[in-house]
Amino acid sequence: PASLAALVAVACGPSSSLAPAPEPAAAPPAAVETLEVESTPAPVPTLEEARALRQSGRLDESERALRTLAASSDETLRSRAQAHLAVLLFDTGRLEEAVPALQKAAEDHPVVAPFLRLRIVESEAGRGRYAEAISAAGEVIATAPQATAATIARLRLPAIHAQNGDASATNAAFEQLSSIAIDELTERDFVDLASVLANNGRGDLANRLRMRLLTDYSQGRYTEKTYGHLNSIADSPLELLSLEEASALSASLARANRYNQALDLLQRIKVRFPDSPTND
């Protein structure tokens, strides 16, 4: 038995433990199939959609749409989009960008060019570039003298000259306004002009204009405001009216249902002309 054990030990080697079986090789990764996904381009907005975005107050989206359309290969669409974009820049106060855009749009759209140039006038005046604003206003008047835009340009010029500190040019431009009627379309422009003149040292012209507003257009929306300005200043032009002029103005104010102003003026008449006979 001992020799048999020795033979077994010799045959099996020094250790009776078995070596671990080798791990099988990892299978190669399965090929991943690549899917071709076609990218769908974003739809190009229409000009009507861009305008609708603006009307709904979504100005950033409207601007992006207009910039896309302004790069169109369609010349008509491109120029219309550029005009709308120029007006949007103006209306949002981005005057540095608006002026060149408005100039280009005016060149491309002769029919509406006078109104686009009016925005250039306001842009330049708003930036304190009065010489450029005066030049743009002159261009509107010269190229479309009978258009409504030319009337508005004439109403802007006295204010711009006053802001520019040119008294003689202000006087000359102011005298040109005598031919422009005050009505529901121009009243606001006359009222605004009076305010700018008063704020730029031309109270004399502002008072003349306000008296004209009272006498020519007593039924206006700004009659109370205009009368209030004249009533509050020293040496008011209301005190310079003759008895006939003051009586006629008070009657005009009463007919326009401006009773507070009419009664105030009648009280002034009573004080200023205590010996005048009562008339109908």
Side-chain angles (χ1 to χ4, degrees):
S3 60
L4 178 60
L7 289 174
V8 171
V10 171
C12 295
S15 172
S16 60
S17 61
L18 298 177
E23 294 184 3
V32 178
E33 183 178 357
T34 303
L35 298 178
E36 294 289 337
V37 179
E38 295 185 3
S39 59
T40 304
V44 177
T46 65
L47 189 58
E48 290 70 23
E49 288 171 340
R51 294 173 61 186
L53 286 169
R54 176 174 181 179
Q55 290 168 357
S56 64
R58 297 159 66 181
L59 300 181
D60 290 343
E61 294 175 68
S62 178
E63 180 180 343
R64 285 195 295 271
L66 289 172
R67 289 191 182 280
T68 298
L69 294 168
S72 170
S73 58
D74 184 318
E75 183 177 352
T76 300
L77 177 59
R78 181 173 65 250
S79 64
R80 290 182 64 194
Q82 288 171 341
H84 281 284
L85 178 60
V87 173
L88 176 62
L89 293 171
F90 169 80
D91 289 343
T92 53
R94 295 155 63 182
L95 304 183
E96 293 284 348
E97 298 175 79
V99 169
L102 287 166
Q103 289 171 337
K104 178 66 168 61
E107 293 169 3
D108 292 343
H109 299 276
V111 174
V112 295
F115 294 95
L116 294 170
R117 290 194 176 101
L118 272 180
R119 289 176 167 87
I120 296 175
V121 173
E122 296 184 26
S123 297
E124 297 290 35
R127 295 193 293 165
R129 293 162 54 91
Y130 300 120
E132 289 78 3
I134 291 166
S135 176
E139 188 172 4
V140 174
I141 296 169
T143 57
Q146 304 304 317
T148 302
T151 298
I152 298 173
R154 292 186 179 96
L155 285 165
R156 297 285 188 272
L157 275 174
I160 300 171
H161 283 302
Q163 291 171 315
N164 199 35
D166 190 333
S168 61
T170 302
N171 294 339
F174 184 86
E175 295 304 327
Q176 296 296 315
L177 304 184
S178 60
S179 61
I180 301 177
I182 301 177
D183 54 30
E184 62 183 2
L185 297 178
T186 60
E187 182 194 15
R188 176 62 183 271
D189 291 301
F190 277 103
V191 170
D192 290 345
L193 172 57
S195 295
V196 175
L197 290 171
N199 292 334
N200 286 273
R202 296 308 307 266
D204 56 330
L205 298 183
N207 290 340
R208 284 177 56 187
L209 200 53
R210 286 166 175 159
M211 284 301 300
R212 187 182 164 201
L213 280 159
L214 280 186
T215 56
D216 289 4
Y217 201 59
S218 300
Q219 70 272 32
R221 292 176 296 162
Y222 301 93
T223 297
E224 293 91 341
K225 177 181 178 180
T226 298
Y227 191 94
H229 279 299
L230 293 169
N231 194 35
S232 65
I233 60 176
D235 301 324
S236 170
L238 295 172
E239 294 294 325
L240 302 179
L241 296 173
S242 68
L243 174 61
E244 292 73 17
E245 291 169 337
S247 299
L249 178 55
S250 64
S252 177
L253 290 166
R255 285 193 298 271
N257 298 327
R258 303 298 190 267
Y259 298 118
N260 290 338
Q261 290 73 36
L263 290 169
D264 179 81
L265 191 52
L266 286 170
Q267 183 62 32
R268 286 174 177 270
I269 293 172
K270 178 181 177 181
V271 172
R272 291 181 60 216
F273 307 99
D275 299 326
S276 65
T278 302
N279 64 38
D280 293 337

